Amino acid sequence: MEATFAVLPGDGIGAEVTRQARDVVEAIADTYGHSFTFTEHDVGGEAMRRGLGPLPEETLEACRAADAIFLGAVGHPDFDDPTATERPEQALLGLRSALGLFANLRPVRVLPELVDSGPLKADLVTGTDILFVRELTGGIYFGDSGTSEDGDSAYSVMGYTRGEVERIVRLAADAATNRRGRLTSVDKANVLEVSRLWRRVAGEVVADYPGLEYEVLLIDAMTMHLLSRPRDFDVVVTANLFGDIVTDEASMLAGSMGLLPSASLGADGPGLYEPVHGSAPDIAGQDLANPLAAILSAAMALRHSLDLEQEAAAVETAVDEVLAAGMRTVDIAEGATHVGTVEMGAAVVEAVSSS
Ligand code: IPM
Ligand code: MG
């Protein structure tokens, strides 16, 4: 098959980890006889440094024309000024809305080899395997907002329409049907009117899936349940802001953010694939970053944008193999000897090539 990838390395460790993801996907092309083309584009702080703004038009056009987008990370302390009108993060929000990427999939799987590498007890997290489905183009992130003239009051509106809730809950219910058949919807319906709409519509959608085990939880309770009984969750669907918060919490179950991939999908058009971790400027350029989240994001691209399930599974198996063989980047090394970004990526390439 022929496919084009738009690669947006971005800030901090973004370039290092996307380089490894790209190498792995090139190895897949060689092994399985595909022809993949990659083009690189500026985004985030890197683009701002060149005077192009966080999301240059050329980058957006290249993304529209691609089959899938690999994003490294955006964000840098140089651009942290809270009064600034332009920020690297606007690139992400701009891409999500311009490409209609309403569904953010964030799988959190606790690998048996790594149960001890996180801050939580191994017997609590063992066997955890959750797919978070976060609504990504609505809610408070994209609602009306403003600041009064004197700067002493501000507001951000959280709104949802029936259609927005329906499509994300349906996607989550379909995913649950193909997994362990459990769906949890998370909201704040005891307080927020918008969450009452969410809960009502979600219930209507789920009525079409009589085989699903369905649960609703309030976001505050969810943050506790996630730590007390993480294994009980299969697919969790929630609104934009709640999903942002709860997936950071969930990343700690897996031991390191360096392992967590994500996919952002629209109704059609290219999907965007990025590691859940950020730009980590403190370790950038030192060959310390864990490339596995970016590599696993590339596997999601093969699956969701190119429909190459076998190839996606081959990448995931290769990652499992290198971890089983004891290879560790510093974030998951627990004091033991560790390898660098490049060596870890090369090991996955090697495992893919011999698959
Ligand atoms: C994420 C990030 C972004 C978000 C920021 C960088 C805009 O935290 O993808 O979770 O809040 O969505
Ligand atoms: Mg976040």
Side-chain angles (χ1 to χ4, degrees):
M1 131 179 308
E2 286 187 13
T4 321
F5 296 87
V7 181
L8 281 48
D11 301 316
I13 60 173
E16 296 162 71
V17 297
T18 46
R19 178 73 245 174
Q20 299 310 315
R22 179 174 164 170
D23 285 355
V24 169
V25 171
E26 278 175 345
I28 285 286
D30 291 345
T31 310
Y32 291 82
H34 301 301
S35 168
F36 295 154
T37 319
F38 301 83
T39 59
E40 285 211 0
H41 311 276
D42 289 320
V43 77
E46 279 301 308
M48 291 168 68
R49 275 184 229 286
R50 295 189 188 167
L52 303 169
L55 180 58
E57 192 53 39
E58 180 271 335
T59 299
L60 186 55
E61 283 316 308
C63 289
R64 284 192 212 278
D67 294 295
I69 304 154
F70 287 172
L71 189 124
V74 293
H76 196 278
D78 289 356
F79 301 101
D80 269 352
D81 176 4
T83 62
T85 52
E86 273 198 341
R87 304 161 196 283
E89 289 79 7
Q90 286 164 349
L92 263 185
L93 301 176
L95 281 165
R96 290 171 184 171
S97 78
L99 302 172
L101 306 172
F102 69 88
N104 185 215
L105 311 187
R106 295 186 167 181
V108 174
R109 198 161 56 100
V110 178
L111 303 175
E113 301 87 15
L114 298 176
V115 287
D116 291 314
S117 63
L120 300 164
K121 290 195 197 108
D123 61 350
L124 181 91
V125 299
T126 299
T128 297
D129 181 358
I130 309 174
L131 175 64
F132 287 89
V133 178
R134 168 188 174 193
E135 200 289 324
L136 204 59
T137 51
I140 198 165
Y141 273 57
F142 292 95
D144 189 20
S145 67
T147 304
S148 64
E149 225 153 85
D150 63 8
D152 286 344
S153 69
Y155 64 94
S156 296
V157 174
M158 186 186 303
Y160 270 111
T161 64
R162 161 179 289 276
E164 287 173 325
V165 180
E166 272 175 4
R167 66 182 177 180
I168 194 74
V169 174
R170 198 165 291 286
L171 188 146
D174 287 336
T177 304
N178 292 321
R179 287 173 46 108
R180 303 195 305 280
R182 290 183 148 198
L183 179 65
T184 306
S185 173
V186 176
D187 61 38
K188 187 67 187 172
N190 57 342
V191 176
L192 303 178
E193 185 98 21
V194 63
S195 281
R196 289 194 277 274
L197 170 80
W198 180 285
R199 188 173 286 204
R200 176 159 51 85
V201 174
E204 289 170 19
V205 171
V206 170
D208 291 342
Y209 298 79
L212 285 188
E213 207 176 305
Y214 180 55
E215 176 183 31
V216 273
L217 280 175
L218 297 170
I219 180 64
D220 50 347
M222 177 65 188
T223 61
M224 293 195 306
H225 289 271
L226 198 51
L227 297 185
S228 61
R229 53 179 186 99
R231 269 189 296 272
D232 287 356
F233 298 101
D234 178 14
V235 177
V236 175
V237 64
T238 191
N240 206 341
L241 179 64
F242 300 151
D244 178 47
I245 297 166
V246 88
T247 54
D248 263 26
E249 184 192 13
S251 72
M252 286 296 99
L253 299 168
S256 169
M257 280 247 206
L259 295 166
L260 299 181
S262 79
S264 301
L265 309 174
D268 45 36
L272 183 145
Y273 301 86
E274 59 170 326
V276 168
H277 62 69
S279 56
D282 51 322
I283 61 163
Q286 299 167 51
D287 197 37
L288 288 174
N290 186 343
L292 295 181
I295 290 170
L296 291 168
S297 301
M300 293 185 87
L302 296 171
R303 173 174 297 123
H304 294 287
S305 284
L306 305 184
D307 214 11
L308 297 175
E309 175 56 37
Q310 198 192 345
E311 287 82 342
V315 173
E316 288 161 353
T317 304
V319 168
D320 286 349
E321 279 170 17
V322 302
L323 288 171
M327 296 208 58
R328 299 283 185 272
T329 40
V330 65
D331 55 313
I332 50 175
E334 296 171 85
T337 51
H338 58 265
V339 299
T341 312
V342 174
E343 202 176 334
M344 183 63 115
V348 179
V349 165
E350 176 69 37
V352 159
S353 306
S354 55
S355 68

